Amino acid sequence: MKRVSPLLLACFCGIFLACQNATYQNSTLFQDLFPDEETTLRGFSLGDQLDQARQIELPHTPRHADLYGLNYAYDLGENASVLIDYFPERAKYGYQRDRVVSIVANVLMPNEVETVRLYNEIQDYFNQKPTYGLPNGSFGDQVWNGSNRFISSMEVRLRIDEDKKGLTINFIDLQPGILSDSVLVE
């Protein structure tokens, strides 16, 4: 029987331990979309006021703004761009309040590989957060049902576009007129 060199064994153990302690660094694009774990998207939380979206999106100005929400379009670097819509309650339910009840982000990517890479990062992020629960669906089109600090029930859908060069992230408040951590109850 052949003996393994102690030096070779020590190198293998060192490499193994280094890999165990290595932390995964998300892409810059992912970090731009999800800069922290406390908010829903881009530092904004579903349930916040529409004016807060304007502040968070600075220095960008809305491409379109009216009673039914805000629409932004800009480059994210890495040959990617994003279109984000913030929809207030008035757009969905006719209420005269500016609490955001839906956020839709369409991320346009340069190719299929980059799209799948970002999809996997976002999928892993949602799967690791207890906020979102377990997903339904299959790869390329998954739905999570969860909650955040304002919303007691929300749906999050992550979908790869048909041309495989983009993905859509849709956050929807499923509880019309109800804020779980507020005095507002309809």
Side-chain angles (χ1 to χ4, degrees), residues 20 23-24 35 38 68 71 87 90 101 108 124 130 133 151 154 157 173 180:
Q20 296 288 29
T23 56
Y24 176 75
E38 288 77 40
Y68 299 105
N71 173 268
F87 297 104
R90 76 177 80 204
V101 294
L108 309 174
D124 290 345
I151 309 299
M154 72 175 168
R157 184 173 188 181
D173 176 1
S180 61

Side-chain angles (χ1 to χ4, degrees), residues 11-77:
C11 287
F12 175 76
C13 289
I15 291 170
F16 178 76
L17 290 173
C19 289
Q20 296 288 29
N21 293 329
T23 56
Y24 176 75
Q25 181 69 28
N26 285 315
S27 69
T28 304
L29 185 54
F30 175 88
Q31 291 175 22
D32 194 357
L33 294 169
F34 300 96
D36 60 63
E37 294 199 17
E38 288 77 40
T39 60
T40 305
L41 185 76
R42 293 190 46 76
F44 183 83
S45 290
L46 193 64
D48 283 347
Q49 296 297 309
L50 195 58
D51 284 341
Q52 288 175 274
R54 285 182 191 271
Q55 294 301 314
I56 286 170
E57 292 296 346
L58 287 174
H60 306 288
T61 57
R63 185 171 73 164
H64 182 82
D66 61 18
L67 292 174
Y68 299 105
L70 301 172
N71 173 268
Y72 290 87
Y74 47 86
D75 291 332
L76 291 173

Side-chain angles (χ1 to χ4, degrees), residues 77-93:
E78 300 180 28
N79 295 318
S81 61
V82 66
L83 304 168
I84 299 179
D85 290 294
Y86 296 93
F87 297 104
E89 268 183 317
R90 76 177 80 204
K92 191 171 183 183
Y93 305 111

